Amino acid sequence: MQLFDAQGKRLYLNAEERCAFSAAAAKADRPVRTFCAVLHDSGCRISEALALTPERVDLTGKAIVLESLKKRRRGVYRAVPVPPGLLDQLDLVHGVREAQRRGKGHADRLLWSWARNTAWRRVKTVLDAAGIADGPHRCPKGLRHGYGIHAIASGVPLNMLSKWMGHASLEVTAIYANALGAEEQGIAARMWNHDIGQA
């Protein structure tokens, strides 16, 4: 897994593009808005978001429980902490609390009944509305990579991010620590300032 393609173009959304994506998603229809918010706030894959049910929205634990669909076997789950605002949105739009209260048949229904290609198109429409420049980063996978970089820049430990993203190993997660971002620029600036001070 890489963060740049063979032509050196980045494959992830930067902080500014992630903000623009969130702003554009806030203007979309409610189901599209919640779907985009889950992708943005959890770094999950489209197929993992589509498998989400009310029973896997942990309102008390402030997390969503995702099945890691890239594993070799089914039934591998991970809890990913998400902002309280996202949980409120999921409850408001998809009736999560009520579905959980009513139990089987309600709590195990999918939050979005879309096919994967439909979900992909809807996310792509939001990416376009956000005014994100054309390139290999303007796709749902670019959003996932952007989440990983944002988490590292925010000080999330690699082992925790690896768990949240459902990676098989820390080596896969470590690519996010290699991205040229604000944190790396800050370290370089301190180094340059130190050199100037000694001159």
Side-chain angles (χ1 to χ4, degrees):
M1 191 167 69
Q2 300 291 323
L3 290 177
F4 295 90
D5 69 8
Q7 287 73 47
K9 293 180 179 174
R10 75 183 149 82
L11 301 175
Y12 60 90
L13 269 62
N14 61 29
E16 185 179 315
E17 290 165 339
R18 291 181 81 247
C19 285
F21 176 82
S22 282
K27 297 174 186 165
D29 291 340
R30 284 177 166 188
V32 174
R33 186 186 318 163
T34 55
F35 189 77
C36 288
V38 164
L39 295 180
H40 180 275
D41 292 345
S42 74
C44 71
R45 301 169 180 94
I46 276 190
S47 53
E48 293 171 340
L50 286 173
L52 203 56
T53 62
E55 70 182 346
R56 293 199 193 139
V57 178
D58 185 351
L59 296 169
T60 307
K62 296 181 174 50
I64 55 175
V65 179
L66 300 163
E67 184 174 10
S68 297
L69 298 177
K70 292 268 302 213
K71 302 290 184 189
R72 293 190 179 160
R73 59 188 169 84
R74 298 296 301 261
V76 178
Y77 295 91
R78 66 188 192 272
V80 181
V82 292
L86 173 56
L87 296 170
D88 290 343
Q89 278 185 56
L90 291 173
D91 186 29
L92 176 71
V93 175
H94 303 281
V96 169
R97 257 187 189 75
E98 179 62 17
Q100 290 175 352
R101 189 187 64 73
R102 294 175 75 181
K104 197 119 179 96
H106 299 277
D108 55 0
R109 66 171 166 73
L110 297 174
L111 297 186
W112 301 276
S113 56
W114 305 333
R116 190 182 187 285
N117 59 344
T118 301
W120 198 93
R121 276 197 315 272
R122 289 181 175 157
V123 174
K124 192 80 164 143
T125 299
V126 173
L127 287 163
D128 293 344
I132 295 168
D134 195 21
H137 63 293
R138 193 178 70 179
C139 64
K141 189 77 176 267
L143 193 62
R144 177 169 161 80
H145 286 325
Y147 170 88
I149 291 168
H150 174 68
I152 290 293
S154 301
V156 174
L158 265 183
N159 63 329
M160 195 171 288
L161 179 60
S162 183
K163 182 186 125 196
W164 292 351
M165 296 191 77
H167 289 155
S169 69
L170 279 178
E171 287 76 28
V172 175
T173 316
I175 66 150
Y176 297 117
N178 295 327
L180 181 68
E183 186 176 79
E184 189 172 3
Q185 287 289 342
I187 293 167
R190 287 195 296 275
M191 178 183 72
W192 299 327
N193 289 336
H194 178 64
D195 288 346
I196 291 168
Q198 292 192 345

